[in-house]
Structure formats: structure tokens, C-alpha cells
Amino acid sequence: MHIVVDLNRCQGYAQCVFLTHEVFRLSGDEALTYEPNPDDARRLQVQRAAAACPVQAIVIGRLDGAERSERS
Amino acid sequence: MTLSATLAELVRDFKANGRIVVVGASLAGLRAAETLRGEGFAGSLTIIGDEPYEPYDRPPLSKQVLKGWVPADHTQLPRFRELDADWRLGVAATGLDRATRQVRLADGEQVPFDRLLIATGTRARQWPNPAEAALDGVFSLRSRDDAARLRQALADGPSRVLVIGAGFIGSEVASICRDLDIPVTVAERGPAPLVGALGGVIGEIAAQMQRDHGVDLRCGVGVLSLEGDAGGHVRRARLSDGTTIEADVVLASLGSIRNVEWLEGAGLAAGFWGVGCDAGGRAFDINGVATDTIYVAGDVARAPHVLYEYQFLAMEHWDNAVFGAEVAAHNMVSLEPDYYPHLLLPGFWSGQFGVNIKSVGVPPFGDEIVFMQGSVEERRFAAAYGRNGRIVAAVTFDHGKWLEYYARLIEQSAPFPPPPPGWDRPDVMMPIPAQFPEPGVPTAVPDVVLTGHDPNERRAEFRPRSR
Amino acid sequence: MAEETPWQQALRYANRANPYPFYTELRKTPVARQPDGTYVVSTYREILALLHDPRVSSDVRRIRPGGSAAAGADQDDEAIKEVISLEPNIITSDPPEHDRDRRLLTRHFYGPQDSPHRICDLEPEIRRIVAGLLDEMRGKTRIDAVDEFAYPLPVTVISKILGVPLEDEPHFHAWIETALNALDFGPEAGSPEIQRQLEQGRRSVEDFEKFMAALIERYAEQPGTGMLSAVVHDDGREGRMSEGVLVSNALLLLFAGHETTVNLIAHSVLTLLRHPDALEKLRRRPELIVPGVEELLRFESSVQFWHTRSAVEDIEIAGTTIPKGSPIFLVYGSGNRDPDRFDNPDELDLERPDNQHLGFSQGIHYCFGAPLARLEVQIAVSEFVRRVENPRLVADPPPYRHNQIFRGPRHVLVDIDGVRD
Ligand SMILES: Cc1cc2nc3c(=O)[nH]c(=O)nc-3n(C[C@H](O)[C@H](O)[C@H](O)COP(=O)(O)OP(=O)(O)OC[C@H]3O[C@@H](n4cnc5c(N)ncnc54)[C@H](O)[C@@H]3O)c2cc1C
Ligand code: HEM
């Protein structure tokens, strides 16, 4: 799956880190880093993280794979 | 039919049958394409990108990718809707003919359009000496491939990395090197890291932070030359202070160059600082007249901003690409008075040395800075920038939860210095000079620039006044 | 007597089941001064602004009710002091102490920074507890979703995390109950009944504190399992937490760690039974529990408002100046129903887009235990929906608990046909 975190919105609440440490990590107390293309097996965890984000900064792609086969 | 009904019909017809071409298949290009479809544009949509990859995200490249946690090819951007677009990836646009409304491709093809979006971004400025730049072990960092190569070089355990230029990317790379326990030297021509973006006061804090983490930071020095061994691998660098640095990996992070060459001769207001456009994303022609068919978004755009005395801002920031693309795309399929303005309060983030650095507003627009909250020593604080008694920007180190407050003050052009907080006041709360370099002084180029008109670039034709 | 303000009416016990019409009234004045000098903030935008305003303090000791302290103001102040123990805990402190203490507690609650997964590791255990509670309902035709379902889960989990013996639950349950009943911010605060309870509440808080201090003392001498023991012995980066501050935070964690969650589970059951469409949707698409819990919390916020803040400087907001020292109440329950922020705020939409609610607050005091609360409520409510056959509400509205901040039903009686596997 494909996600992106709007790190301008992110205020370092770290809710995603507590929920899915395999996908979201803090570097220090506040700087968030993450795996932008997590394994599909983590979908539920990532959805939980996105729902829990106090500033709704985590966006999950709605179109995984579908269009990626288009002519390119 | 009334005029307004005719216009509405025109918009409907364009949305159904128009042809839109987007050049630049990255953050701005993708978000614009999605917005176009979201706004009901059902005509033909062509996305041209010279990189062979589907749109991916760059900020992770200098952070989690270099660190080795996330592979470089795990940076694809999420998609939010079906685009039904004709993707031309791996082929560059080489020319624009405004008269016939065609984009010329490197493979010779001509792609016609009714509306064009220019989203070609920037590229990394390369080490100026081509022979030295070609040495093995000399890198720059802009693309996924750059990141994959540099990551490999770091994984191979270099004896020392030399980072030339201590802007955000250079500083982030130095930070990753320290995380990986790789010796690193940073050479910066300016007086401190991040000076162009945040000024000398914050730069000094960033310098201390680097040194505390074991970075061999050399400020006020330039790198004169790079030397390789017999096998063509870089081995050392000569500095302007007469010293040499032994290093087998060199990252040139010298700022960026706007990708405007393909627009040569098209008669647009394109130059060193990008393509000039109005706050709605409509490109200016070379005479400063807004075009109706050509739009610009992202790193390559520069537009006037109401909050900053209508000066032209060029912003090499992620949210500027997203928001600018959405605005431009909306306007491409709308008519006045439904245009949106791109009135973003600029913002960015950078994670380095375990600290989250965030900013809102345009720090270099300010000339004074005041520490508002927290402790510089503990590297957790908020500071505000002011100019003429108004707050124009703010920066936080691990204090991101407070940034919103300052953003609101900036939006209101509230007085500077702002009222003191109720607790956790810094020891000194006096506004002091923010110490930005004079325009034109060489330093790592900031990534939000007030791009005043440069007379050297004047190519407009002045028409004599007719009598 | 002067006419009651919308806020005072909202606080009346008679309106506990439905304070929302009064909130609608209240939002017409986003920042509304009350007769006792308190400033009540009810609109989303203004609440958010004050949560990020460094001129606002959460430290009760800085409240200086200004202007004409009307009758009742002093009592409120007293009441606040009674329930909030003397040493500040993280919810009643400001930076830098707040940030330092919260960081230390975070490390012990979630685990070390490089692997903070202690709370998500609890999922199997939470599932076991929930399954057990539902199994117990087998053979019954009527259950109380509060006593038999909402309450036991959170209290078991938080006690275990902290290392508070579950045998002591009857004691601290009673203390908390008494203290909560005594805390009244409304027009009924002066009634003889509340006055009597105030006295009991005071004693309960004392007993609760003594109990916690003794427990921590024990852990200081003899390390044990659980978070409290670990904190007592932590000399890490922040230095050791003083015993008084630790006791105060431990009370907060134990109390906040279940009361609010109980109310959300109870309210969720109640709300879903009132919205059969949503209930049916959740049955068909169980994954909706994830956004669903956010919406349920927006819809019925377990912490309706918070009362320890004050203005440290004069603050101008929404055309009002909050004078220095004035108490500020941020009414999350109203901000979450603000039509300027949420489309059709009085409708329940489990898939509500852009649901950036204030149920857990925002800014530096953002709920410390939110990930635990979410996990517990998601599992409890989704399992209830999946397993309980044909649940029907017996009384609507159900009886409510007295407390205004921690608003929730006392009982939710439900008739059921059975419990699936
Ligand atoms: C390593 C790194 C770290 C960063 N970190 C941050 C950060 O922490 N915070 C932040 O706010 N921003 C950060 N940025 C900046 C951010 O990534 C950019 O602002 C953003 O990528 C701009 O998007 P864009 O689409 O305008 O341009 P680009 O991403 O540059 O995309 C332009 C695309 O157009 C293509 N192109 C160029 N010329 C042509 C042509 N003639 N024909 C066809 N295609 C062409 C390019 O190859 C490229 O794919 C970082 C950037 C980098 C490189
Ligand atoms: C549904 C359940 C819950 C809700 C709705 C809730 C809500 C809130 C709210 C609104 C605040 C902010 C108060 C303020 O304005 O300052 C808060 C703070 C807090 N909550 Fe929760 N909470 C819940 C569950 C929990 C749990 C399970 C814990 C357990 C550990 C917990 C511990 C705390 C603490 C310690 C604070 C203070 C944080 C600080 O000031 O930094 N809460 N909660």
C-alpha cells in the first residue's frame, strides 16, 4: 500500500508510532519518519494509525495498483 | 443565449473535450492531475516526465531511505483517484510552441494541448568541475536513483563522507551519517548551516547541534577541488583555507537549478528563479502578461504573495507543490470569478540530529528574531521572526505543537515581538538581528526565496510608446 | 435570581442526557463570560486556538478568578482543589515540567523510544477480557452494558499496566465515585446535598492519595511489576520524579485510564442502539469500527470540557478579552458539534471524512492514553456488535452519572436474545 504523511500538519503526537512501530518511527522526540509503501499485511494497522492521527496528517492511497499498469 | 450561459457552456465543453498536458510527473504533476479529474475534467490528459518512474516522494530520500530503513523504490506516492491519463514516462519535454500549442518531446513527438501545466521542478546543482564531478564517489541528491546510489555508498562503510553545503539536504545527510556512525565533514561557505533559510542566529544553534553529534563542521570555507585516485575514485578535497579532507564519499548539496531550459524561446517569464506566474498559477509571458493557457506549480513556480508585500516567492517545499498544484488545476478548468488564489502560508519541516525543525512564514523576510518559548540549550524552543514591528515567520525545534499559534499571528500580521508566553520563557527574550546574509552573498541557497527582479535577466522587449 | 446562562443550564443534572440544545445556544457567543468570571469556550476554532496558545496555563494554582466573584465561585475553586491533588500532575502543569514528566511517563507506558509497542501488544489480552465478559452474558435476557461490560475492561487493563492490585478496586472505585459526585460546576453546586458530598469527596481524595502513596512506597522498597514501580526506580534522562508528583500522576493515570473509557464504551452501545442504521452498517462492515470510534467519541465526548486552564495574560479572542487570571473552560463536547467545523454535526456518520475531533483534545495535553482507549473501545464495541443478538434499549434516555466533565450513563439496560460465539 502507498501512504504519505503531511509532515507540515504533523505535530509529533506519535499516535501512529504507538500503534504501528513497524511503519512509523520517531527520530528523537518529535521528528516522524515512516515507510511510505508498507506491506499490504499492515493495512489494518495503518488504517488505525490514520484514523487516530489527531491532525489527520496520514493519507492512504485509495488506488493501490489499479492504475499502475497504465501505459508508461 | 446569455453571455454567462455561453461561458458556462464553454467550461462544460472544455471539461468534456479539452486536452490538458502536464509536464513533470512528480508531486505537483500528480496532484494537479488528480485535482483535474476531481474537478470533473474528462478530456484527454497527458503526463510527461523525464524520469522513468511513476511519481514518488522526495523528502524520505535524504532521511529514512539514506538511513537504510526504507528502500529507494518504496517512495511511490499514493494515488487518490483513477487518472485515466496517457503517461509518457522516461521522455523529456524539449520545447514549447505557444503559437501552435504543442509540447515537443525528446523523441520528436509533438503533443498538442489546450491547457498546459508546467511542473518540472528543480534539479540538484552539480559539482561545477565536470571531470571532478565524474569521479566515483561524488554524488548529488535529488532523485530516487541518486538516493539509491548514495545509500549504497554509505552502506559500503566509507572512511569519511564530505558534505559540501549545509542547507537542509546537506545537514540531513550529515545527520544520517552520524546515525550510521560514519565520520562526516561538512564544508559550508556561509557562517553556519541553514543560514540562508533560517538566519545566522538559528544557524549557530544548528552548528552546535552538528558538532555535538560529532560532525566535523567547517564554516566559512569553500571546497576548491576534488582529487581522485588512479582508479578514478574520489579521495580528497582541497579547501579554501588550505586544508585537505580525506574522504571517499562526497555529496555536493549546492542547492538547486530550476528546470526551465526546455522553455527557451517560448516567450514565457522563465529564468533563474523559475517561471513567473500570478497567484492563481497562470504563467506570465516574458512581458509580464498573464497567459490563459499555461499554468505553473511546484518548485519551478514563483508567484507574488500578499503577505509579503506582493514580492515574488519561489518555494521549494512539499506543501507548496501540493497546494500550488491543486490551485493551478482548479483554475485550469474554471473561469473568473471562480479562480482560487495560491495563498499558502509557507511551511516546511526537516528532521536532523534527532530534532524536528519546523517553520512557517518566510524567515528571510524578517530581519529580527526573538526566542519565545523553551530552551535553546535543550534544543526545544520556538522563535519568531519580525520585520517592521510585524511577525513574518516562526521556527520551532521540537516544539511543533506550538507552531499553529505563530502561524495564526503571521496570518494576521500581528505585532512583533509577540506577547510573552505564560511559562517556560527563555532566559533572554529580546529581539536580536536574525543575521540573514545580504542578497547575493554566496551560501547554501535557501529554499524559500524572495525573487526580486534581476535586471540582468531582463529580456522583455520594451515597445516605444505610440503617439 | 438572574436568568441562567446557556452554560449553567447545560450543567444542570436534568439536562445531562442532552446538553446539546444548550451548546447550540452557547456557541452563539464563542467565548462566553459566566457570572462567576469563568470564560466558557464552545466553538471549534476558538478551542483549537486556545489549546495552542502559550498564554494559557493548565496549572490550577494560576487561576485568579477576576471581576465580581459571584456566589459559587469560591466553592468551585474549592472543589477544584479538592479533586486535583496538591502536587501538580501532567494535566495540571505547564512546560517545561509538563513536557519532562510526560516524556518520562511515556517511556514507561509505551516502552522505550525505539520500540514503543507495549500498548498494542495488549490486544490479545484485551480480546480475552472482552470475550470473557460477553461469555458471561450467555443465558441472560437483560444486561447492564455499564456494570457488566463497559466498566470491567478498562479498570482491569489500567490496573495491570500500572501495577495497582485489582483486589483494591472496590476501594478506589468508591473513592473515585464519591469524589466525582462532589465535583459540580453548575447551579446545583451550592445545594446542601452537594455540600455534604463535598466533605465526603475531600475524604475520599485523601484516602485515595494515601493508598497510592503507600503503594508507591512499597514499590520504592521492593520493586515489582508494572509501570509505577518502573517509574519509581527511573533515574534516566529527566532525573527522578519526586514522590509527590508521582503519586499525583499515578492517581491521574488510574482514574483517567478507565473512567473516560467506560463512558465511551457505554455511550457507544447507547448511541448505536439509538441508530439502527449505523449498527447494521457496522455489523456488515466490521472494519468501520476504526473510523467509527472516532465518530462515536465526537458524537458523545467522554470529557465534555476541561476546567483547569486560565489566562496568564489578557487574551483577545473572538471579539472578547479574557482577562489575566480568568478560568477558561474548553467545551470539547460543544466544539465537536460545531456546525462551522462538522457538516451535520448532530448526525452520526461512522465514515465521516476529515473527522478531526477534539475528543482527546489537542496540543501538549493531548490525551496521554488515547491509543489504549482506542484499542479497548474498538475491540469492546465491535465484539458487542458482532456477538450480542438483537440488543434493545430498555430505557431511553438511561439514567446519567452526576459528573459534568466525565459525562456518561450510569446504567444502560439492554434486552438481548442471546450471545453468539
Ligand atoms: C532529498 C530531498 C529532501 C527534501 N525534503 C523536504 C522536506 O523535508 N520538507 C519539504 O517541505 N520539502 C522537501 N523537499 C522538497 C520537495 O521534495 C519538493 O518541494 C517537491 O518535490 C517539489 O515537487 P515538484 O513536483 O514541484 O518538483 P519535482 O519533485 O522536482 O518534480 C519535477 C519533475 O519534473 C521532471 N522534469 C524536469 N524537467 C522535465 C522535462 N523537461 N520534461 C519532463 N519532465 C521533466 C523531473 O525529472 C521531476 O520528475 C526535499 C527534496 C529533496 C530532493
Ligand atoms: C475514551 C477515553 C478517553 C478520553 C475521551 C480522554 C480524553 C482526554 C482529554 C480530552 C484530555 C485533555 C484534558 C485537557 O484538556 O487538558 C485527556 C488527557 C489525559 N488523559 Fe485521557 N482520555 C481517555 C482515556 C485515557 C486513558 C485510557 C488514559 C490512560 C492512561 C488517559 C490518560 C490521560 C492523561 C494522563 C491526560 C493528561 C495528559 C496531559 O496533560 O499531558 N486517558 N484525556
Side-chain angles (χ1 to χ4, degrees), chain A residues 7-8, chain B residues 23-30 48-51 56-63 88 91-94 119-123 141-143 168-169 172 259-260 262 297-300 315-322 347-351 447:
Chain A
L7 289 169
N8 289 298
Chain B
V23 183
S26 181
L27 183 61
L30 174 63
I48 300 163
D50 61 1
E51 293 186 83
Y56 60 88
D57 206 25
R58 294 180 204 275
L61 298 180
S62 54
K63 306 174 181 83
R88 306 290 178 82
V91 54
T94 53
T120 44
T122 64
R123 63 181 181 275
L141 181 52
R142 178 79 196 173
S143 70
F168 283 108
I169 292 178
E172 286 179 358
N259 292 319
V260 294
W262 69 284
D299 279 10
V300 75
M315 297 186 253
E316 291 179 67
H317 289 162
W318 193 89
D319 63 345
N320 173 56
V322 173
F348 72 79
W349 78 94
S350 168
D447 41 14

Side-chain angles (χ1 to χ4, degrees), chain B residues 157-232:
Chain B
S159 62
R160 177 167 294 273
V161 173
L162 169 64
V163 174
I164 309 175
F168 283 108
I169 292 178
S171 299
E172 286 179 358
V173 173
S175 164
I176 295 291
C177 287
R178 294 312 300 141
D179 282 350
L180 299 173
D181 212 20
I182 298 170
V184 56
T185 297
V186 174
E188 163 60 47
R189 272 198 292 192
L194 313 181
V195 165
L198 296 172
V201 174
I202 298 296
E204 202 39 58
I205 298 166
Q208 204 49 52
M209 207 158 84
Q210 298 211 358
R211 294 199 168 105
D212 288 355
H213 282 81
V215 175
D216 170 30
L217 174 67
R218 319 257 183 118
C219 295
V221 297
V223 174
L224 300 178
S225 63
L226 303 175
E227 293 172 11
D229 58 18

Side-chain angles (χ1 to χ4, degrees), chain A residues 9-48:
Chain A
R9 293 186 77 103
C10 174
Q11 296 178 3
Y13 292 96
Q15 303 297 296
C16 54
V17 179
F18 300 139
L19 287 169
T20 322
H21 187 249
E22 295 79 6
V23 179
F24 303 97
R25 291 182 194 172
L26 281 184
S27 151
D29 289 332
E30 193 182 286
L32 183 73
T33 62
Y34 62 99
E35 160 64 89
N37 299 168
D39 201 276
D40 265 329
R42 302 240 175 257
R43 184 168 292 274
L44 176 64
Q45 282 168 292
V46 173
Q47 280 166 342
R48 280 181 179 173

Side-chain angles (χ1 to χ4, degrees), chain B residues 134-442:
Chain B
L135 290 170
D136 275 351
V138 177
F139 300 89
S140 60
L141 181 52
R142 178 79 196 173
S143 70
R144 207 174 114 168
D145 291 342
D146 294 342
R149 279 191 295 263
L150 182 55
R151 166 61 204 162
Q152 188 54 50
L154 296 187
D156 290 344
S159 62
R160 177 167 294 273
V161 173
L162 169 64
V163 174
I164 309 175
F168 283 108
I169 292 178
S171 299
E172 286 179 358
V173 173
S175 164
I176 295 291
C177 287
R178 294 312 300 141
D179 282 350
L180 299 173
D181 212 20
I182 298 170
V184 56
T185 297
V186 174
E188 163 60 47
R189 272 198 292 192
L194 313 181
V195 165
L198 296 172
V201 174
I202 298 296
E204 202 39 58
I205 298 166
Q208 204 49 52
M209 207 158 84
Q210 298 211 358
R211 294 199 168 105
D212 288 355
H213 282 81
V215 175
D216 170 30
L217 174 67
R218 319 257 183 118
C219 295
V221 297
V223 174
L224 300 178
S225 63
L226 303 175
E227 293 172 11
D229 58 18
H233 196 107
V234 69
R235 286 300 164 207
R236 74 190 59 78
R238 290 197 183 284
L239 271 48
S240 59
D241 62 359
T243 57
T244 56
I245 306 273
E246 305 285 323
D248 37 13
V249 168
V250 173
L251 172 75
S253 56
L254 307 170
S256 50
I257 298 178
R258 273 120 183 114
N259 292 319
V260 294
E261 292 78 0
W262 69 284
L263 296 168
E264 188 72 47
L268 291 177
F272 183 79
W273 291 119
V275 183
C277 59
D278 72 7
R282 290 184 299 179
F284 289 137
D285 75 6
I286 201 162
N287 300 310
V289 177
T291 61
D292 279 330
T293 47
I294 303 178
Y295 290 74
V296 202
D299 279 10
V300 75
R302 59 188 281 248
H305 199 300
V306 288
L307 264 185
Y308 299 99
E309 297 173 352
Y310 293 95
Q311 290 202 52
F312 278 77
L313 287 191
M315 297 186 253
E316 291 179 67
H317 289 162
W318 193 89
D319 63 345
N320 173 56
V322 173
F323 191 55
E326 288 168 2
V327 167
H330 167 87
N331 292 344
M332 286 172 92
V333 294
S334 306
L335 285 177
E336 209 192 345
D338 298 325
Y339 289 151
Y340 289 162
H342 178 35
L343 285 185
L344 176 71
L345 191 60
F348 72 79
W349 78 94
S350 168
Q352 44 180 287
F353 304 101
V355 171
N356 193 26
I357 304 178
K358 297 191 83 172
S359 151
V360 286
V362 180
F365 193 70
D367 47 22
E368 287 186 300
I369 185 169
V370 62
F371 289 95
M372 295 293 303
Q373 292 174 247
S375 151
V376 170
E377 219 154 84
E378 294 168 29
R379 311 248 160 77
R380 37 157 215 94
F381 63 82
Y385 293 86
R387 165 164 157 150
N388 297 335
R390 301 276 148 193
I391 176 172
V392 297
V395 63
T396 57
F397 276 44
D398 274 1
H399 251 44
K401 293 185 183 66
W402 299 107
L403 204 56
E404 231 178 274
Y405 169 69
Y406 297 99
R408 207 156 290 134
L409 294 180
I410 297 164
E411 280 166 10
Q412 300 161 1
S413 285
F416 177 89
W423 28 256
D424 204 15
R425 294 184 187 173
D427 301 335
V428 184
M429 288 195 66
M430 281 269 291
I432 50 175
Q435 298 174 15
F436 282 99
E438 291 298 316
V441 172

Side-chain angles (χ1 to χ4, degrees), chain C residues 294-324:
Chain C
E294 305 303 319
E295 175 68 350
L296 289 160
L297 179 55
R298 182 195 70 81
F299 200 74
E300 296 283 14
S301 306
S302 297
V303 176
Q304 283 286 304
F305 61 99
W306 195 251
H307 60 288
T308 72
R309 287 183 176 78
S310 62
V312 191
E313 303 282 338
D314 287 2
I315 296 177
E316 253 201 59
I317 181 160
T320 303
T321 301
I322 306 178
K324 182 174 168 162

